[in-house]
Amino acid sequence: EEEEEEEEEGSESSSPVSYQMKPPPEGCCTTDGFCQAGKDLRLVSISNDHIEVPSGFLLVGAKSPNLPDHLLVCAVDKRFLPDDNGHNALLGFSGNCVGCGKKGFCYFTEFSNHINLKLTTQPKKQKHLKYYLVRNAQGALTKGSVICWKG
């Protein structure tokens, strides 16, 4: 019981928010382009894979500062993405890992940690989600239109 109380006390912090990533849990993959479960998320690697996309979600490409020539494939609830004019995106985030299948990420920080998207900036970190991904005539996943973030 004492341990639980200590954990609760430790989680309540009055210190300012730090935008540096916390170290990943022990045993996790930390390789750029791979999720913490070790699954490849690079568009070039999984463009021909069948990716299960839940209803209401879209596949988008995230741009990693450490992998400038690659897009990371993400499944994001479309309600949290802007329309073509850069408006009407709900505040918040909801996403799934297309690599290992982990679902229910409610915070972009948590999600970016899981996919090893190493960010050092705040606000509007979702702006790292750069492109919609679409299937071409051959059925391969490719970079589509730019996600229009305003503000």
Side-chain angles (χ1 to χ4, degrees):
E1 289 180 21
E2 288 179 22
E3 287 181 38
E4 288 178 13
E5 287 176 17
E6 287 176 19
E7 286 178 11
E8 287 175 17
E9 288 173 13
S11 65
E12 294 175 11
S13 174
S14 60
S15 64
V17 177
S18 170
Y19 302 129
Q20 299 300 316
M21 285 183 30
K22 294 177 184 167
E26 189 69 32
C28 285
C29 175
T30 57
T31 305
D32 293 333
F34 294 78
C35 75
Q36 288 186 352
K39 302 296 183 180
D40 198 337
L41 300 175
R42 295 169 299 160
L43 179 60
V44 294
S45 302
I46 62 174
S47 65
N48 290 313
D49 292 1
H50 173 72
I51 299 172
E52 198 66 39
V53 184
S55 177
F57 280 67
L58 296 173
L59 291 178
V60 297
K63 202 78 166 128
S64 171
N66 295 347
L67 293 172
D69 298 329
H70 291 279
L71 285 178
L72 303 181
V73 180
C74 308
V76 177
D77 186 322
K78 64 182 176 186
R79 296 175 299 172
F80 298 98
L81 296 169
D83 61 21
D84 292 340
N85 298 316
H87 301 290
N88 299 321
L90 291 179
L91 293 176
F93 179 79
S94 177
N96 299 335
C97 179
V98 299
C100 68
K102 186 171 180 181
K103 294 179 171 39
F105 289 97
C106 297
Y107 299 98
F108 190 75
T109 301
E110 177 191 23
F111 181 71
S112 62
N113 286 344
H114 179 78
I115 65 171
N116 291 307
L117 182 61
K118 295 167 177 73
L119 306 177
T120 56
T121 60
Q122 188 83 1
K124 290 291 183 189
K125 292 176 296 189
Q126 285 98 318
K127 287 186 178 181
H128 287 274
L129 302 174
K130 294 288 189 190
Y131 300 96
Y132 293 103
L133 300 178
V134 295
R135 296 260 176 214
N136 65 17
Q138 292 75 37
L141 201 58
T142 62
K143 182 168 68 170
S145 60
V146 173
I147 297 173
C148 181
W149 295 101
K150 294 274 188 197

